Amino acid sequence: MSSSLNKERLKETDFYRVATEETYQKLNTDAKGLTEEEAQSRLETFGENKLPKEKGDSALKRFLAQFNNALIYVLLGASVLTAVMGHFIDTAVILGVVIINAIIGFIQEGKAQKALENIKKMLSLEANVLRSGQKTELDATKLVPGDVIMLSPGDKIPADVRLIGTSNFQTVEASLTGEAEAVYKFSKRIEEEAVLAERYNMAYTGTSVVAGTAKGVVTSTGSDTELGKINRMLSETEEITTPLIRKINNFGKKLSIAIFIFIGVVFLYGYFLTGFSLTEITLAVIGLAVSAIPEGLPAILTITLAIGVQKMADRHAIIRQLPSVETLGSVTVICSDKTGTLTKGEMTVKKIFTKDRHYEVEGSGYKPEGNITYDGGTVDAKEDASLQRFLQAAAVCNDAEIVEEEGTYQVNGSPTEGAMRVVAIKGGEDIDVPRIASIPFDSEYKYMATLNDVDEKRIVYFKGAPDKLIELCQYQMGVEEKETIDSEYWNRKIEEGAGEGHRMLAVAYGEVDSSKETLSHEDLKEGMIFLGLAGIIDPPRPEVIASIEECKAAGIKVKMITGDHVLTATSIGKQLGIGDGETVLSGGELEKMSDSEMNQAVTDCDVFARTSPEHKLRLVTALQANEQICAMTGDGVNDAPALKKADIGVAMGLK
């Protein structure tokens, strides 16, 4: 094993397209992990696994920066002139206005400065590593490429990792990719080129494990990770001045030039043509210059903007820079992330398909409130045998828990399983029965199953990919009794739900021998009964639809830029009234566009799916190239570069 890894070659390698054994070879490691000596050598080569900490501006420099605009320069010049003329009260008033303006801006920026450092906190603190075949807990900053690590539920992933073994492994990547659902991961090689959100054999730093276990090889650390790339992109993105500041600077420059020209003409005329003494004409032009300077303007602007900041604070919006209030009023287009901004960021079962009925589910998110309806009326599950059994399966074949904290409901476990738990509670069938055995979800089999003791019978409940469960089941449950499964019917329902952007999840059950104590895949091949399908989606926030209508009425365009699936983006866009309900551009299509093509695309299209942080940044830049005043909203790290580049960036929510 050698430490002579080529850092640049590693950066160029798409490890998701590399087989497990080849991954070991490229990283000069093996299943036992690195030796301590080798790890130390690589640590010296690659550096610690942490993001570079840039030295921020000192408090003094940030305070002095508040004076950096043309109008302030003019006012400072006026204060000097009034002092020379002996008008010390005027001098004090002008300086007071300038200093108060600087203090307000300095304090307001200080309140929000800490939020920009939160990206650093996303890195894991510890990692379980194999060194020479021995499992050890290690400070995550000491990880190096080639380290073999173990991942478990609740872990923050400490580096970018090529997975080499998984068991029911799921991660939440919403902050990095915008994907609302927990993502099932596997270890097999992906042959085709894939966007970040579809590299299912990779796990990325800053994301977290919600279910299952995995073993992986570290492929990149620190600033070479995907999170590090975003951090680098963020530091390289230049903030632009607000429209108000640009106008003030422009006005200040023009005013200064006009004043100097005017007093120059007056000085020449008075001194050479009218016979005034040098002292007299100097005092006269100083007086003219002072009277021409609108020293009250910055005060009025500062007070007006401060009032705006206070009103925004009352609505729980923190304004980092005073002029941003005016920018907000000048916006012509709003680019919004989907997950957690336009939607709740909480998976919800909205549809249930059984053999004979199509149910709608009220409510959204993890709050277990809302009815299950059919044909406009509320349904009692106890009077509907197929629905009752469906909800029982949703509750029993489930490892998630719904927890209430101060009126807010959260899910412990997979968001998808959380959605199934909630719909069971809504239907009054969140039963608690003994679990005898289980088969955890595996990407190869695409389902989870549990063996339970129900009313002195041994019942197998299982849920998973619809195509897999249709293949396993011989029967389906109708209104009265079981019947031979109608695969064509269920495939039509799968297409119907998927076409509306829902993730379709199938549920089935079967009765086995009462003495059964174990559960295997072979037990699911006889007598299994298909119960139905759940349509799951991250629903739009109810208040967002009205807000979008208000924006349209005000002449503001709204564009959705998300990392989610194309079908999901299309469905949510249609529900929210964004776009024409049909035209959607994917990240893969954006990747191939030139800057000029991108400039045209942002004019023609309002919904963009499967986008990366780089795509979001390019889209904002393209809008600005079209002379749009662009606001960008988002709640994930993947939105950060675009938030910084936009004319006004709006970081959303508490997440």
Side-chain angles (χ1 to χ4, degrees), residues 260-317:
F260 281 120
I261 291 173
F262 178 70
I263 63 174
V265 170
V266 170
F267 179 86
L268 293 173
Y269 176 79
Y271 184 70
F272 291 107
L273 299 179
T274 62
F276 282 105
S277 67
L278 182 62
T279 302
E280 290 175 325
I281 195 61
T282 300
L283 288 173
V285 296
I286 288 175
L288 285 171
V290 171
S291 63
I293 295 171
E295 61 268 19
L297 180 59
I300 294 169
L301 284 174
T302 299
I303 292 168
T304 303
L305 295 176
I307 292 171
V309 167
Q310 185 59 51
K311 287 190 175 183
M312 293 297 288
D314 292 340
R315 298 190 178 199
H316 310 292

Side-chain angles (χ1 to χ4, degrees), residues 1 59 135 234 260 275 277 333 359 389 443 503 505 521 579 639:
M1 201 180 292
K135 186 176 178 180
L234 191 61
F260 281 120
S277 67
V333 60
Y359 303 93
R389 182 68 78 174
S443 58
R503 179 190 176 189
L505 189 70
H521 295 290
D639 302 312

Side-chain angles (χ1 to χ4, degrees), residues 158 195 219 405 421 428 436 493 496 500 599 653:
V195 295
T219 59
E405 295 180 2
R421 174 75 70 186
I436 310 300
K493 293 303 176 185
E496 181 182 328
E500 295 177 355
N599 293 349

Side-chain angles (χ1 to χ4, degrees), residues 350-352 354 356-362 371-380 384 387:
K350 297 298 289 182
K351 297 179 183 293
I352 297 174
T354 62
D356 301 291
R357 290 183 173 182
H358 171 191
Y359 303 93
E360 301 285 344
V361 184
E362 297 175 344
N371 297 315
I372 299 174
T373 66
Y374 170 69
D375 202 20
T378 301
V379 175
D380 183 352
D384 188 327
L387 177 62

Side-chain angles (χ1 to χ4, degrees), residues 195 198 562 564-566 569 583-593 598 605 607-612 615 619:
V195 295
E198 294 175 355
T562 177
D564 227 326
H565 295 280
V566 171
T583 307
V584 178
L585 287 174
S586 68
E589 292 171 299
L590 296 176
E591 198 78 49
K592 300 171 185 176
M593 290 184 182
M598 184 80 82
C605 183
V607 180
F608 303 88
R610 275 292 187 243
T611 56
S612 68
H615 298 146
L619 287 167

